[in-house]
Amino acid sequence: MTLSVAIKAQIHDWYKALQQHIPDFIPREPQRQMIAEVARALAGDIERHLVIEAPTGVGKTLSYLIPGIAIGRAEQKPLVVITANVALQDQIFSKDLPLLKKLIPDLTFVWAFGRRRYVCPRNLAALAAEGGGQGDLMLFLDDALAPASGADHPHCVALQKSLSDFSWDGLRDHYPHAVSDALWARLSNDKANCLGRNCHYFRDCPFYLARKEIENADVVVANHALVMAALESESVLPEAKNMLLVLDEGHHLPDVARDALEMDGEISSHFVAHQLEQFRRQTALILTQFRPARPPQLSQEARLQAHCDELLALIGLFEQHANAVLPHESVEVEHRFALGVLTAPMSEAAARLYTLTDKLRMLAEFLLADLGEKTGKHDIVRLRQTLLHTSRIQGFWDATSRLWRLAALEKASNAPISKWLIRRRGDNGVQLFLHCVGIRVSCQLEKLLWSRIPHAVITSATLRSLASFARVQELSGLHERNGDRFVTLASPFDHRRQGRLVIPQMPMEPVMAQEAAHIAWMARYFRAEWAKGTHFGILVLFASHRALRLFLDQVTELRPQLLVQGDKTPLPPGRRTPPPRGPRADQRAVGAAILCRRTGSEMGMADTSTYSQSGLSAGGQPGHFDRRGMAENAAAPSV
């Protein structure tokens, strides 16, 4: 699809209407440029993906929502907006999209959550039931799902009532009362314990209802971790080919991907032997009661026994060499392999273990798929019980094969793979765990994300390093030679005129040992600068919430004039305003914004003074703020 005249006209009309709904809205060239670039990218007018750096104040959220919605409707695909933190998700879902709904009355948008945030109605029914009132339900449920007792049982009954009378949609975040992590772990939905269409509760399952709602929505808001999980397993999100994707705060993606692709698991001989025995018994049961038309050769008893014997012997060999490299002074120790290089015998064993475990994974997948095709001629209770157990077995061998694959590799994305062993004492004796994670994940991102999504937009205010996209290209795998387009937008701020850097001479180093004295000194400095009355606004940026709170304790008399991160209103109650200055003084409010760098969202401010634990930046020319938080220099002409 190319960018048609009709889509261009729709984007233009919505953007023009937007100006009428926002007081003091100022069209800016960088914002118009971003809208055009995003429209071209999502419509397929560029070869592959768009990477666009949009400095603070451009208004990038609306710049990708407006063209994304227009093109998504034309292609009948949802626009999936992925962000790195809840604060930005909340801004998009609670402010930006409701604003656009005033222009587009039939606009629909939903917030997507991870699968485990949804309750499993089958699990809930089991836990809410009275001891003898479950009929045949418990025949195919684990003992762990026996009816809840004590304080949990009334809670489960209340949850089930809320779900059945539609006062609750089954999402943990939407339940009005707290649910303990321990109880939710038994109630939540997960792939390994899901019967899918074979479940009696399938039609009313909150997870599958959410998937249906998402498929029909114009915009879906989610986080980076969810999109990575979606690309590796069944998820609430649409298939990659059936969505338009925008990755906001795109500089976080490589780190999120690395965390999502980390693999770990127990490799103790006694644990693996138990898993192998379970698999052999389950395979024998399936061949007896639900025999496939063409069972794989590996499912034959003798072949499977020999396969498992070889695998267990290699696990024993790997464990022996692992104990040789682990420190001997204690049972609970760990060892990290320098540059991720295993010893030669361990590396050879890992390669063979990957081959063996992957064959078990494929066998489990075949058996699970075949069970899913069985009809009503079989005992439904036994079939569902077998489906559940086989699904869990398949999940285990899928994760185990990926662990050994990483262990066997020397490098991934041309960088070492971090590998380490942990030995600890558990309930069943000494346990050995192997952990593997790639330091760089560009190749995995190419395989899992960039090659599957037709066109994506990756944006952030901080994508470049030293005025170059080289670093983000190295970490993400995106590059011009692959057809990706890289764009840098100009800032709407005149930084040279609106700010100056002032570094005060401090009597102590800003280190933890002198934190209290340092913050007290900074508070005195801040109070003195405030008293001068020469700064239009002051931005104080902290590296931790603890330091922020300590600072506030030092300036309690100024608190009514401070806008602190987390305040619910733009202007705290009782805020005092100094005498107005300048041509737009009647529209200004003088004060200070207090933010924590680690979790604070971007905030566009013209003419600010910035204090940190290492320096001070004092503002120059006054500026004006519109309702969208975009700053305009008072002397700069409107575009």
Side-chain angles (χ1 to χ4, degrees), residues 218 236 247 333 354 407 421 426 483 508 512 576 583:
D218 290 313
V236 71
L247 290 159
V333 292
Y354 166 60
L421 295 164
M508 75 284 291
M512 285 300 298
R576 300 188 301 275

Side-chain angles (χ1 to χ4, degrees), residues 253-267:
L253 183 63
D255 291 338
V256 174
R258 185 181 63 241
D259 293 343
L261 296 171
E262 178 180 348
M263 297 303 304
D264 63 84
E266 183 174 356
I267 58 170

Side-chain angles (χ1 to χ4, degrees), residues 97-304:
L97 287 170
L99 173 64
L100 288 178
K101 192 170 178 64
K102 295 178 181 178
L103 320 178
I104 316 167
D106 59 341
L107 178 68
T108 57
F109 49 92
V110 296
W111 201 333
F113 295 84
R115 185 168 190 154
R116 289 184 178 273
R117 306 302 293 177
Y118 297 92
V119 73
C120 171
R122 180 175 58 83
N123 291 353
L124 180 58
L127 290 168
E130 298 295 337
Q134 299 184 79
D136 63 358
L137 181 66
M138 291 306 296
L139 293 178
F140 60 90
L141 295 178
D142 279 352
D143 292 339
L145 287 177
S149 57
D152 282 346
H153 187 261
H155 204 162
C156 292
V157 171
L159 284 164
Q160 188 180 42
K161 182 178 184 301
S162 298
L163 189 65
S164 61
D165 65 15
F166 304 104
S167 60
W168 177 47
D169 61 2
L171 188 65
R172 184 182 186 182
D173 307 71
H174 292 171
Y175 192 66
H177 307 293
V179 182
S180 69
D181 291 341
L183 177 58
W184 190 258
R186 304 172 70 196
L187 289 171
S188 62
N189 191 312
D190 69 284
K191 184 181 178 183
N193 293 297
C194 182
L195 291 167
R197 296 183 179 276
N198 291 294
C199 182
H200 174 70
Y201 297 89
F202 176 76
R203 292 179 180 272
D204 301 315
C205 177
F207 171 73
Y208 286 103
L209 289 174
R211 288 187 69 179
K212 187 177 296 185
E213 184 180 17
I214 284 171
E215 289 173 0
N216 298 321
D218 290 313
V219 183
V220 181
V221 181
N223 61 38
H224 285 180
L226 182 59
V227 77
M228 290 307 304
L231 296 169
E232 287 211 291
S233 61
E234 187 179 18
S235 164
V236 71
L237 294 179
E239 289 185 49
K241 64 181 181 180
N242 294 327
M243 64 179 174
L244 302 177
L245 181 64
V246 173
L247 290 159
D248 204 341
E249 297 177 309
H251 60 284
H252 288 294
L253 183 63
D255 291 338
V256 174
R258 185 181 63 241
D259 293 343
L261 296 171
E262 178 180 348
M263 297 303 304
D264 63 84
E266 183 174 356
I267 58 170
S268 311
S269 293
H270 60 84
F271 174 77
V272 176
H274 175 69
Q275 298 298 327
L276 290 170
E277 179 63 22
Q278 277 198 327
F279 193 9
R280 288 197 304 105
R281 290 184 178 181
Q282 187 70 4
T283 303
L285 182 147
I286 292 172
L287 292 182
T288 302
Q289 299 183 5
F290 308 100
R291 188 175 183 85
R294 292 177 139 184
Q297 291 185 348
L298 185 57
S299 65
Q300 297 173 11
E301 183 177 359
R303 284 178 178 267
L304 186 56

